[in-house]
Amino acid sequence: MFTQKPLPSVLKGPRITLERHSSSLAPTMFATIDANREHLQFMPWTQFTKTAEDSKKWIDVTLAEWDNLSLFDYGIYFEGRYVGSAGVHSINWEFKNCELGYWISKEFEGRGLISEVVKLLESACFKQGFHRVEIRCAGFNEASARVALKNGYKFEGELREDSLINGVYRSTKVFGKLRREWESSP
C-alpha cells in the first residue's frame, strides 16, 4: 500500500547533503540567488525574489507545503556551503508521480553535483512508492536536459510554448523515469 508521508528531511550523498529549509537560511538563499541572477534569469521565480524577506516568505511556503505533503524543497549543501536548491513538486499522490526541480550556483555547475541531487531525490521518491518521476526543463536548457539523459530519464517530448516566463513564451522538454527503470539501473 502506498502511504502518503513526507520524504526524509535530510538526504546524504557522497559529496552533497540535501536538507529541508529552515527560516534562518533566508539571507544566505537570497544572497546566492542575487549573486546568480543572470545565471538564473530564466527561472520564473527570480523576478519575485528581490529581498531576503522574499526568500524567507518562500521558505515559509515550502515548510507549510512540506507539512501538507505537496512539496519537498531542500537546500543543496556542498562542503557545508549552501549552493542551490532542489525539490520534489507537482506531486500527484493518486497516480504516484512527481517532478524534480533544481538550481545550482554557476560556480558549482559542471561538477556532477546536480546528478547526485537527482539520484538522491529519485531514490527517496521511488523508495517512498512513487511510480514515475519527471524532470522538466526549458526547451533551450541543454545542461538540464543532459542531466536528465545522463541519469537515465527518457525524453518524452516537448510542450511547445506552454509557459509564459517574463513575457516570453517558452517550450518545455519532458523527461521521465519509471520505478521499474530505476530498479533495474546499476
Side-chain angles (χ1 to χ4, degrees), residues 85-97:
S85 289
V88 179
H89 54 92
S90 304
I91 297 170
N92 183 319
W93 291 102
E94 180 182 0
F95 298 125
K96 303 177 188 174
N97 60 50

Side-chain angles (χ1 to χ4, degrees), residues 155-166:
F155 176 65
E156 296 179 341
E158 188 164 341
L159 307 174
R160 298 176 310 130
E161 297 184 6
D162 68 317
S163 303
L164 186 61
I165 309 296
N166 299 325

Side-chain angles (χ1 to χ4, degrees), residues 68-79:
N68 72 27
L69 307 177
S70 59
L71 172 91
F72 304 111
D73 209 52
Y74 296 87
I76 303 169
Y77 294 86
F78 176 66
E79 298 177 346

Side-chain angles (χ1 to χ4, degrees), residues 7-8 11 74 119-130 182:
L7 294 181
L11 299 169
Y74 296 87
K119 287 180 187 342
L120 285 172
L121 289 175
E122 76 179 18
S123 181
C125 291
F126 288 126
K127 286 177 182 175
Q128 178 89 338
F130 281 93
W182 172 76

Side-chain angles (χ1 to χ4, degrees), residues 35-102:
N36 285 275
R37 202 161 286 283
E38 184 177 336
H39 171 61
L40 301 171
Q41 67 182 315
F42 299 108
M43 298 293 205
W45 45 265
T46 57
Q47 64 185 320
F48 306 112
T49 309
K50 298 179 178 158
T51 66
E53 182 60 26
D54 294 332
S55 290
K56 183 183 178 313
K57 287 177 186 173
W58 167 248
I59 289 170
D60 290 344
V61 166
T62 68
L63 294 174
E65 290 187 356
W66 187 296
D67 291 340
N68 72 27
L69 307 177
S70 59
L71 172 91
F72 304 111
D73 209 52
Y74 296 87
I76 303 169
Y77 294 86
F78 176 66
E79 298 177 346
R81 178 177 169 193
Y82 173 79
V83 298
S85 289
V88 179
H89 54 92
S90 304
I91 297 170
N92 183 319
W93 291 102
E94 180 182 0
F95 298 125
K96 303 177 188 174
N97 60 50
C98 60
E99 181 182 341
L100 306 182
Y102 44 79

Side-chain angles (χ1 to χ4, degrees), residues 101-112:
Y102 44 79
W103 66 269
I104 196 164
S105 300
K106 183 162 182 57
E107 71 179 288
F108 293 96
E109 277 190 323
R111 299 183 190 193

Side-chain angles (χ1 to χ4, degrees), residues 15-16 104 108-118 150-151:
R15 297 180 299 154
I16 62 159
I104 196 164
F108 293 96
E109 277 190 323
R111 299 183 190 193
L113 299 178
I114 291 297
S115 285
E116 191 172 326
V117 166
V118 167
K150 177 182 173 184
N151 286 284

